[in-house]
Amino acid sequence: MALDGAWTHGQTVVNDVRLHYVAAGEEDDPLVVLLHGFPEFWYSWREQLPALADAGYRVVAPDMRGYNRSEKPPGVGSYRTAELVGDVVGLIDRFGDSSSARIVGHDWGGLVAWETAIRYPEVVDQLAVLNAPHPAAYRRELRRNSDQWRRSWYAVSFQLPLVPEALLGARDCAGVGRLLRETANPGTFDEDDLRRYREAASRPGALTAALNYYRAALRGNLRREIREWLGFGGRSAVVDAPTLLIWGERDPALVVELTEGLDGWVPDLRVERLPEATHWVQNDRPDDVTERLLAFFGE
């Protein structure tokens, strides 16, 4: 392992994939797993890592499969939800002193966190999700809310082969930096932050792997919709774990209605909305997010 300030870097193999991770805190402390979103990497948790460790937690923030220094298995199928969830379960088994952990996820990491709690409730002690919709609520809003359809155009465009890679990857992933800069509050990401994100996305195969999350998800959702239309029903989407949903209300991609009407799926839920925060909520308002996470975990 290499030491980098308040944390260490390492690599491990779980679920047949090699993942790079950053860890902080004592090995026998309660485990917290931090899952980043698109187009980020472990660095998106740089403010929360030392704070959670100082509060007495063992914190592990992986580069999710395909991102930055983690392995990039080929093919869209390698990024199916089942595989992403399997990575999280493997990390909990690898780093936890028990068979469960607290899970925090943002954006795509939040979607994977939701699905982990739904599919493997026994491994999730507490769940915290930042600007990522519960999957059933997202389908609900797509069906009834034209504004959410309009905001989701980018996910549809990502289904095209090669074109998104060309647009985002040109000039050393300038499009990635532009996406972060133009959708966050002014000053959220400085030039060093943007350089780091561009470098991570520029690693061979990283951009295609990140886009394959969207491609695999759409194919899986279409299959689910067809099964439900044919009358085969669907699996339960209930989350048993105590859950905190933190939501930056200035999110250009997700409507705030996604935070409403969740009781049937998430019985033990607290929603914390941050009116001045954007989609990049733990970067826009790092102290507010950390404070809420610590209060929630301390209950």
Side-chain angles (χ1 to χ4, degrees):
M1 291 185 181
L3 185 64
D4 185 1
W7 46 71
T8 58
H9 291 259
Q11 298 197 25
T12 189
V13 175
V14 298
N15 193 30
D16 297 323
V17 66
R18 177 185 51 78
L19 300 180
H20 168 261
Y21 65 88
V22 165
E26 300 298 326
E27 293 188 3
D28 57 352
D29 285 340
L31 178 64
V32 177
V33 178
L34 304 176
L35 304 174
H36 67 81
F38 175 90
E40 301 180 286
F41 64 111
W42 72 264
Y43 183 74
S44 69
W45 301 109
R46 61 195 177 280
E47 299 288 348
Q48 287 73 41
L49 273 157
L52 289 170
D54 288 345
Y57 296 99
R58 171 65 164 169
V59 192
V60 175
D63 288 332
M64 295 179 70
R65 66 163 60 199
Y67 279 88
N68 193 36
R69 299 180 183 178
S70 286
E71 187 177 352
K72 299 157 182 64
V76 172
S78 297
Y79 301 89
R80 293 180 298 115
T81 301
E83 297 297 340
L84 305 176
V85 169
D87 295 348
V88 178
V89 175
L91 286 169
I92 293 171
D93 183 64
R94 163 68 175 79
F95 289 102
D97 60 358
S98 65
S99 59
S100 59
R102 295 166 173 85
I103 300 179
V104 183
H106 168 249
D107 184 76
W108 254 107
L111 296 174
V112 176
W114 281 121
E115 289 287 355
T116 302
I118 291 167
R119 300 182 186 209
Y120 295 93
E122 70 278 5
V123 309
V124 183
D125 293 324
Q126 291 176 292
L127 175 68
V129 177
L130 287 59
N131 280 75
H134 184 283
Y138 189 60
R139 292 194 295 273
R140 179 194 68 194
E141 293 306 314
L142 286 177
R143 290 168 177 165
R144 74 182 189 181
N145 192 327
S146 60
D147 189 24
Q148 184 57 62
W149 261 111
R150 178 184 59 81
R151 296 185 188 210
S152 298
W153 69 268
Y154 71 95
V156 177
S157 72
F158 285 172
Q159 306 305 312
L160 295 171
L162 303 179
V163 175
E165 284 92 332
L167 293 175
L168 290 170
R171 295 183 292 113
D172 298 324
C173 288
V176 168
R178 185 167 58 252
L179 169 66
L180 293 167
R181 183 177 60 252
E182 293 180 354
T183 57
N185 285 326
T188 295
F189 300 110
D190 62 25
E191 289 305 314
D192 182 61
D193 295 331
L194 297 177
R195 175 188 59 79
R196 288 172 179 263
Y197 285 118
R198 290 175 62 182
E199 287 179 354
S202 295
R203 294 183 183 274
L207 199 51
T208 292
L211 291 164
N212 279 344
Y213 279 57
Y214 292 92
R215 293 161 179 160
L218 181 63
R219 298 176 190 184
N221 288 335
L222 286 175
R223 286 192 294 269
R224 182 184 298 111
E225 292 289 342
I226 291 170
R227 286 182 58 83
E228 291 184 7
W229 181 73
L230 292 174
F232 290 104
R235 59 178 173 78
S236 171
V238 173
V239 173
D240 292 328
T243 302
L244 171 66
L245 180 59
I246 301 175
W247 200 269
E249 292 188 359
R250 292 185 176 181
D251 192 323
L254 299 169
V255 297
V256 74
E257 287 85 352
L258 289 163
T259 67
E260 301 169 352
L262 302 180
D263 292 350
W265 298 305
V266 196
D268 189 354
L269 174 67
R270 175 191 304 174
V271 179
E272 297 273 0
R273 295 179 182 169
L274 302 181
E276 301 304 315
T278 69
H279 179 76
W280 318 102
V281 59
Q282 76 268 38
N283 296 285
D284 272 344
R285 295 291 185 270
D287 292 341
D288 288 340
V289 168
T290 300
E291 177 184 331
R292 284 162 170 77
L293 289 176
L294 290 174
F296 175 59
F297 290 159
E299 292 179 351

